[in-house]
Amino acid sequence: MHRWKFDNGLKKKNRGIKRKCRTFINSITEYTISLPSPDDNSYLGYWHLHMPFNESFIDSKNTSNSVRKLCMQTMINRMQHLMDIRTELEKDYRIYILISLPRLFDSQIVVLFDKEDLNGFFDREYRRTTLDSSTT
């Protein structure tokens, strides 16, 4: 007799995995065909792309590790693509991938346009102080 596993509270099977993976690959490829322009993102100083996936699917206990590996490898490949298409004018751009585990949904690709933005990007106190002083 088959018994359900009650460890995650769901009895539903993940359906449409191939379609969801294909849509993920197509959408992340579409967003990263070319490098973003700093003119379009000048107010932030950087451009970032969160994982274009449904959070309840990618972080579900029912999602297999092969799907998670596919998502991470696709993001790594797209980051490498962005690094390969940089021109001489864009050689100072810093391109990173942030993979968040165990919540893979929080992962993102980040393009920093200027070296000075790198210092402020990871320093949370710097950002908070800058934002607080600009609002007063």
Side-chain angles (χ1 to χ4, degrees), residues 75-91:
M75 291 185 74
I76 291 169
N77 293 345
R78 295 317 293 174
M79 179 196 66
Q80 185 63 46
H81 168 75
L82 289 175
M83 290 173 66
D84 291 341
I85 64 172
R86 286 188 296 186
T87 63
E88 282 297 317
L89 296 174
E90 299 164 337
K91 69 179 180 178

Side-chain angles (χ1 to χ4, degrees), residues 33-102:
I33 288 175
S34 63
L35 274 167
S37 169
D39 298 332
D40 297 337
N41 302 288
S42 62
Y43 62 95
L44 289 176
Y46 64 92
W47 174 86
H48 64 104
L49 172 66
H50 284 275
M51 182 176 285
F53 228 135
N54 187 351
E55 181 179 9
S56 62
F57 173 73
I58 195 63
D59 288 337
S60 171
K61 292 180 183 179
N62 292 341
T63 303
S64 67
N65 285 338
S66 61
V67 172
R68 288 188 178 98
K69 282 194 254 183
L70 172 75
C71 294
M72 288 187 278
Q73 189 61 52
T74 302
M75 291 185 74
I76 291 169
N77 293 345
R78 295 317 293 174
M79 179 196 66
Q80 185 63 46
H81 168 75
L82 289 175
M83 290 173 66
D84 291 341
I85 64 172
R86 286 188 296 186
T87 63
E88 282 297 317
L89 296 174
E90 299 164 337
K91 69 179 180 178
D92 290 336
Y93 288 8
R94 300 289 185 228
I95 302 171
Y96 298 97
I97 182 168
L98 305 172
I99 295 180
S100 175
L101 294 174

Side-chain angles (χ1 to χ4, degrees), residues 12-26 52-54 56-58 62-64 67 70-71:
K12 293 180 83 174
K13 180 179 175 181
N14 275 338
R15 299 193 182 272
I17 292 175
K18 288 182 183 179
R19 175 184 46 83
K20 290 176 183 179
C21 290
R22 188 174 52 245
T23 303
F24 167 75
I25 291 170
N26 290 341
F53 228 135
N54 187 351
S56 62
F57 173 73
I58 195 63
N62 292 341
T63 303
S64 67
V67 172
L70 172 75
C71 294

